[in-house]
Amino acid sequence: MTKTALITGITGQDGAYLAKFLIDKKYEVFGTYRRLSTPNFWRLQYLDIFENVNLIPADLVDAGSMVEAVEISKPDEIYHLAAQSFVGASFEQPIGTGEVTGLGVTRILEAIRQLNPEIKFYQASTSELYGRGHSSSLTENSQFQPASPYSAAKLYGYWLTKLYRKGYNIFACNGILFNHESPLRGLEFVTRKISNAVAKISLGIEKELYLGNLEAKRDWGYAPEYVESMWLMLQQKEPDDYVIATNEAHSVKEFTEKAFDIVGLDWQEYVKVDKRFLRPLDVNFLQGDYSKAKKKLGWAPKTNFDELVKIMVKEDLNRWVRWQSGERFPWDAPNYPSEDKIISRYQRIDR
Ligand code: NAP
Ligand code: GDD
């Protein structure tokens, strides 16, 4: 029998890849999107699945719209991916981030509890929960020490998910996903900011790249592989929480160096540190131990760090070449302003 899934945040990186994955598995896919002044469906169009998804307007701050989304789609599974997901922005909008990224989880869990507690629920938890002060690979049992309004809101969502599992017997799972990237990544995240800038610099469209904390290390995986783990969690006999990662950490500096290497340029000639991109607090090390996911879900990463950097730089380069030759296709970069235009009051308090 055909299964039905509801994806909140289907317009985002993971939402688009997950929709494609589930369509390939013959699911009927519904997704929530926000009313914006300009349509934002480029990722679904890029993956050529726009015609195969059902879109429902909803906003996480509006509980009624989430109830409506569940009523309309009547899902077997809900993948809750929508969030204010940019850590940097959470320092500028801490209250909004709490509303959307934190309380939004409760709004959708309440809709499940009241309408149909049989619906299986995936919560997009994050390695940001671990926060600062770690120096070794992290497991499901490592200590959480959030270091941003974003991660504090996600910690609330994590606990609400566990609470609805235990208290109401809802099949609710936390996927504790470490950073995962792709050519569909938002342009403000550091990997895509770098791959896009490297492509532009190598074609002479841009001259410099301004970054913040180059020493931060992240466990970076490839997003299309990570969405499979979300589905696997909801196919198990019992609900549980899982770390999804590569078990390797690399610095922003390493990513930058490798990305410039791919186009034959020396990164040190183009990259400058700008304190506007330093956060009031930053997490300097995140690396995840995915042994439990490997053992119980049969999941393991396939794409390594070098391959990931190459995929991202090559795709952005290819897009700029096509664009410059007059081809037009759904894509975010041409409309993205230079970050010089963005004024924020970040202050470096601590690294
Ligand atoms: P993303 O590309 O930023 O997508 C976020 C999605 O949430 C977008 O569809 C966005 O809609 C939607 N959204 C934002 N505010 C909303 C609101 N008020 N109401 C309804 N929808 C709203 O994020 P992602 O990288 O795909 O990540 C997916 C989820 O996994 C997020 O919850 C993120 O925090 C979490 N996560 C991500 C990573 C990672 O490395 N990517 C790691 C761990 C956890 P618009 O398109 O309209 O903005
Ligand atoms: N964005 C950005 N821009 N980050 C920079 C820059 C810059 O110019 N320069 C250095 N960095 C550093 C950040 O300070 C951070 O330490 C690291 O690069 C990664 O930043 P992001 O790419 O913005 O990702 P993130 O790790 O903060 O958050 C992402 O991963 C989390 C999982 O750990 C997001 O996808 C979150 O939603 C997700 O939960």
Side-chain angles (χ1 to χ4, degrees):
M1 210 178 70
T2 310
K3 277 198 195 171
T4 301
L6 172 65
I7 302 173
T8 68
I10 198 166
T11 54
Q13 172 189 258
D14 290 7
Y17 281 123
L18 179 64
K20 179 162 174 35
F21 175 86
L22 293 175
I23 287 166
D24 290 346
K25 288 230 167 275
K26 310 285 180 232
Y27 274 61
E28 166 134 42
V29 175
F30 290 78
T32 67
Y33 76 99
R34 291 191 286 175
R35 189 266 155 192
L36 301 170
S37 64
T38 309
N40 176 26
F41 300 120
W42 76 272
R43 294 184 174 95
L44 298 170
Q45 290 160 339
Y46 203 81
L47 296 179
D48 204 16
I49 54 168
F50 186 63
E51 299 305 328
N52 308 103
V53 296
N54 305 287
L55 296 168
I56 306 173
D59 197 302
L60 284 175
V61 299
D62 187 317
S65 72
M66 300 316 293
V67 169
E68 190 86 338
V70 176
E71 278 196 326
I72 291 172
S73 56
K74 302 205 178 343
D76 300 293
E77 298 166 4
I78 294 181
Y79 296 87
H80 179 48
L81 310 184
Q84 191 302 93
S85 73
F86 188 42
V87 174
S90 78
F91 287 102
E92 292 155 350
Q93 298 161 24
I95 297 167
T97 301
E99 273 289 347
V100 172
T101 305
L103 275 174
V105 182
T106 315
R107 293 189 182 105
I108 191 130
L109 281 167
E110 266 302 287
I112 292 175
R113 186 183 71 79
Q114 293 182 29
L115 295 174
N116 178 8
E118 296 299 311
I119 297 170
K120 294 184 175 179
F121 177 77
Y122 172 86
Q123 162 61 8
S125 283
T126 163
S127 49
E128 273 291 305
L129 298 177
Y130 298 109
R132 289 150 65 86
H134 300 284
S135 54
S136 58
S137 215
L138 298 153
T139 72
E140 293 77 5
N141 300 318
S142 304
Q143 204 188 352
F144 295 140
Q145 315 188 90
S148 65
Y150 166 82
S151 40
K154 281 284 184 184
L155 186 57
Y156 170 82
Y158 168 91
W159 279 113
L160 262 285
T161 301
K162 281 175 105 72
L163 197 151
Y164 274 63
R165 177 160 85 212
K166 289 199 175 124
Y168 301 118
N169 221 13
I170 289 171
F171 194 110
C173 301
N174 281 294
I176 308 172
L177 271 55
F178 283 61
N179 298 48
H180 44 282
E181 318 293 314
S182 75
L184 299 190
R185 188 59 144 146
L187 280 162
E188 68 276 62
F189 298 96
V190 76
T191 54
R192 179 86 197 293
K193 178 174 169 178
I194 296 167
S195 65
N196 183 50
V198 165
K200 288 171 87 175
I201 290 170
S202 81
L203 294 172
I205 305 169
E206 217 162 72
K207 291 198 165 43
E208 285 158 335
L209 167 61
Y210 291 93
L211 293 172
N213 181 4
L214 299 179
E215 305 309 323
K217 288 191 167 179
R218 290 289 183 278
D219 181 330
W220 277 301
Y222 186 39
E225 294 166 9
Y226 281 44
V227 298
E228 182 180 11
S229 74
M230 302 172 183
W231 175 76
L232 284 168
M233 287 177 214
L234 298 197
Q235 311 314 309
Q236 303 308 302
K237 281 212 172 72
E238 300 295 333
D240 206 344
D241 307 324
Y242 299 90
V243 163
I244 301 295
T246 71
N247 211 359
E248 266 186 43
H250 297 273
S251 67
V252 173
K253 196 191 284 171
E254 277 175 85
F255 193 105
T256 311
E257 189 174 353
K258 282 207 187 296
F260 275 90
D261 269 359
I262 290 165
V263 294
L265 296 175
D266 176 359
W267 72 278
Q268 300 197 70
E269 289 177 22
Y270 302 93
V271 175
K272 298 198 166 62
V273 171
D274 183 329
K275 65 176 177 12
R276 279 180 308 149
F277 301 114
L278 297 172
R279 296 171 182 172
L281 281 175
D282 205 355
V283 174
N284 262 352
F285 177 86
L286 288 176
Q287 180 176 315
D289 176 347
Y290 63 90
S291 312
K292 178 176 171 184
K294 190 171 179 197
K295 188 163 168 229
K296 301 219 162 150
L297 306 177
W299 182 92
K302 298 185 189 85
T303 304
N304 69 29
F305 177 69
D306 286 12
E307 289 164 340
L308 175 68
V309 183
K310 207 173 283 172
I311 289 170
M312 293 183 70
V313 171
K314 293 226 153 142
E315 185 114 349
D316 273 329
L317 195 54
N318 183 34
R319 287 158 162 172
W320 277 111
V321 169
R322 286 168 65 198
W323 195 262
Q324 283 196 311
S325 68
E327 221 186 304
R328 290 297 172 264
F329 47 91
W331 185 34
D332 54 349
N335 297 321
Y336 192 68
S338 152
E339 285 190 342
D340 287 347
K341 298 254 175 250
I342 299 167
I343 302 165
S344 81
R345 281 197 304 174
Y346 279 2
Q347 280 175 31
R348 176 174 151 197
I349 295 169
D350 181 13
R351 289 177 76 175

